Amino acid sequence: MSERWIWGTGLATSTTDGTVLDAWFPAVTEGLPPEDVTPDAALRAAAGPDERRAVTLTPVTVSIDLDAAPASTADVYLRLHALSHLVVRPNELNLDGIFAYLPTVAWTTAGPVHPGDLPRLRTGLQRAGLQVQSLDKFPRLTDYLAPAGVRIADASRVRLGAHLAPGTTVMHEGFVNYNAGTLGTSMVEGRISQGVVVGDGSDIGGGASIMGTLSGGGTHRVSVGRRSLLGANAGIGISLGDDCVVEAGLYLTAGSKIVLADEPAGADGARPIVKGAELSGRDGILFRRNSLTGAIEAVRRAGVGVTLNETLHA
């Protein structure tokens, strides 16, 4: 049996047919729960039916082995909470098969509703001033917790299960998926896909994209090191090490042909060419496109990479 356990006491939302829509855990604790654990008074007071949404809130205590596969909806939600509470980092827990336990939910301003119940509940929801914000398997992170020391300009673009370290700023066009996020002070103006981690002091530029593994493709978990810059509208399918820069608008994949511009030319006058995968994760590289030939080039760079505005990220 694994020794990596977490537990939490919270509220599960279920429909009249017993479908669990979500679970909220105010806190996540490492280890196993004590034998006499009981929901606190605030959770007990919040429990009960909500006729507007045709759901019932029930106190639950859940404990899970982080190395075992998820086994229920509440189990999955505790794992997502553990990521967002910074108890575990992305890719450090088992999330195999989670979609089987995550129903598609109508997320309203008062909480989850079963999509099949919306037609008959529509009038009552409108009279109560409630709106449907999305139809999705994942809710917004900010509906469950407020990460300490973090700024999120558009809450709809950060899912529960995002791991945001203190000092992180997610601007309006930034997006952070579940099981992904930052490990330190970072600027996020682009897309951080599932499984991706961004190191301390790095900047994901406006409109930039980082490939994940959720929708097929390879199995490599892309990461960005410390003090690296992914320029505006750039993209990567390889990892960046520390102190790297990717020129704005440049997309790098594992198969990209890259000229090693610092290396001596051969007898034919050409410099060595490698695939992007061979440079994945290396430190101190500037990736750029030659404005005359259009070729992608890699150039060694010395010193630190980008320096973020300390006041902005305080």
Side-chain angles (χ1 to χ4, degrees):
M1 183 178 65
S2 168
E3 295 182 355
R4 299 201 312 139
W5 285 75
I6 59 172
W7 68 276
T9 298
L11 288 173
T13 307
S14 58
T15 63
T16 54
D17 66 1
T19 300
V20 178
L21 300 179
D22 82 334
W24 167 60
F25 298 93
V28 179
T29 305
E30 295 181 88
L32 289 166
E35 294 182 1
D36 59 348
V37 63
T38 58
D40 63 27
L43 290 177
R44 295 197 303 271
D50 184 342
E51 296 180 357
R52 301 171 304 170
R53 296 185 288 131
V55 298
T56 299
L57 281 69
T58 306
V60 292
T61 297
V62 178
S63 59
I64 58 174
D65 178 350
L66 291 172
D67 296 314
S72 68
T73 300
D75 176 322
V76 172
Y77 268 84
L78 184 58
R79 292 170 197 258
L80 297 177
H81 278 73
L83 285 161
S84 293
H85 279 283
L86 310 186
V87 174
V88 294
R89 290 184 173 188
N91 306 315
E92 291 184 351
L93 72 171
N94 191 332
L95 294 172
D96 294 344
I98 65 170
F99 293 109
Y101 298 107
L102 291 175
T104 298
V105 172
W107 300 103
T108 77
T109 47
V113 174
H114 194 290
D117 291 332
L118 279 179
R120 67 182 180 84
L121 297 176
R122 177 177 178 275
T123 301
L125 291 173
Q126 288 184 327
R127 287 176 178 172
L130 305 181
Q131 297 179 334
V132 176
Q133 298 174 317
S134 67
L135 290 170
D136 196 4
K137 289 181 176 291
F138 291 84
R140 305 184 305 182
L141 178 147
T142 54
D143 288 338
Y144 292 79
L145 69 145
V150 169
R151 296 170 57 210
I152 301 174
D154 185 347
S156 66
R157 298 184 64 82
V158 180
R159 282 173 151 181
L160 180 65
H163 181 287
L164 301 179
T168 297
T169 294
V170 184
M171 295 300 290
H172 295 79
E173 295 304 316
F175 171 81
V176 187
N177 210 339
Y178 79 96
N179 192 39
T182 61
L183 304 181
T185 299
S186 301
M187 171 62 81
V188 182
E189 298 181 271
R191 179 183 180 86
I192 302 179
S193 299
Q194 192 272 149
V196 173
V197 291
V198 175
D200 182 45
S202 289
D203 186 333
I204 309 303
S209 178
I210 305 174
M211 286 186 182
T213 58
L214 190 60
S215 299
T219 57
H220 173 63
R221 296 282 190 179
V222 178
S223 62
V224 175
R226 298 171 297 171
R227 303 175 302 277
S228 288
L229 170 66
L230 185 56
N233 296 315
I236 53 172
I238 63 172
S239 293
L240 299 180
D242 297 342
D243 305 306
C244 291
V245 174
V246 178
E247 179 186 82
L250 176 61
Y251 213 112
L252 294 173
T253 67
S256 295
K257 302 298 191 298
I258 302 176
V259 178
L260 302 181
D262 289 330
E263 298 297 323
D268 59 357
R271 287 182 168 80
I273 297 176
V274 299
K275 288 186 176 181
E278 296 184 44
L279 300 179
S280 182
R282 296 195 186 182
D283 298 336
I285 299 179
L286 165 63
F287 295 94
R288 68 189 184 191
R289 191 176 291 279
N290 187 300
S291 60
L292 297 178
T293 66
I296 301 174
E297 297 180 339
V299 180
R300 289 188 296 270
R301 57 188 312 277
V304 299
V306 297
T307 301
L308 299 179
N309 185 321
E310 293 184 4
T311 303
L312 179 65
H313 296 273

